[in-house]
Amino acid sequence: MPRVGLGYDSHRFVSGRPLVLGGVPVAYEFGLAGHSDADAVLHAVIDALLGAAGLGDIGEHFPDRDERYRDADSAALTTHTVGLVRATGLGVVNCDVTIVTEQPKLGPYKQAMRDRIAHLLRVEPARVNVKAKTNETMGWIGQGEGLAVLAVVLLDETAG
Ligand code: MG
């Protein structure tokens, strides 16, 4: 029986930090505030993975009060999460991501994010999709305070 999981994350833009989305460095004047590297895309993917597998949420596995996760590489957290999921006998069928932000424009980075996320999830890039859109200038996203990410993952039993 396939299992679906939903992930959501949001982070505030701040000066003085690099912007990393989907494990890919993105050129922008702001980065994202956060305890880890604040990669909101991978955080949403991690929560979708955990949700589909019935394994709780990112805060339970990687607490933001834990010094081990200060400036943590979210790619490493994703790899760890995929290991937890696979240990339950489940593997990723596909993953779909929507990033909502006014700036920066992410079109030039979508393929690289797709490739990187697919590598982390141990699937072909064709099984990962990354979409980017604005919030039509409305609200906190529209005013450029931060960005939000939604992710959906489908899992199914692995052959081995
Ligand atoms: Mg986060």
Side-chain angles (χ1 to χ4, degrees), residues 9 11 20-24 32 36-44 72 74-75 149:
D9 197 27
H11 282 259
V20 182
L21 293 172
V24 175
L32 293 170
S36 68
D37 64 5
D39 187 332
V41 171
L42 292 185
H43 293 180
S74 293
V149 182

Side-chain angles (χ1 to χ4, degrees), residues 101-119:
T101 189
E102 298 298 316
Q103 294 287 341
K105 297 302 175 199
L106 296 174
Y109 299 96
K110 287 193 291 187
Q111 186 62 47
M113 289 184 208
R114 187 176 188 174
D115 292 343
R116 182 85 163 110
I117 294 166
H119 179 74

Side-chain angles (χ1 to χ4, degrees), residues 11-114:
H11 282 259
R12 180 184 295 276
F13 283 123
V14 290
S15 300
R17 297 199 85 197
L19 179 60
V20 182
L21 293 172
V24 175
V26 173
Y28 191 42
E29 60 183 310
F30 301 112
L32 293 170
H35 185 68
S36 68
D37 64 5
D39 187 332
V41 171
L42 292 185
H43 293 180
V45 169
I46 287 170
D47 256 351
L49 288 163
L50 293 171
L55 292 173
D57 66 33
I58 190 169
E60 296 171 29
H61 290 271
F62 312 110
D64 63 8
R65 291 172 302 284
D66 192 326
E67 283 303 311
R68 280 180 298 169
Y69 304 119
R70 179 175 296 283
D71 296 323
D73 176 2
S74 293
L77 306 185
T78 306
T79 297
H80 180 79
T81 303
V82 170
L84 295 176
V85 168
R86 291 174 69 93
T88 71
L90 295 163
V92 174
V93 176
N94 76 304
C95 172
D96 187 26
V97 174
T98 297
I99 306 166
V100 190
T101 189
E102 298 298 316
Q103 294 287 341
K105 297 302 175 199
L106 296 174
Y109 299 96
K110 287 193 291 187
Q111 186 62 47
M113 289 184 208
R114 187 176 188 174

Side-chain angles (χ1 to χ4, degrees), residues 8 30 87 136 138 140:
Y8 169 83
F30 301 112
E136 299 285 344
M138 294 182 289
W140 61 268

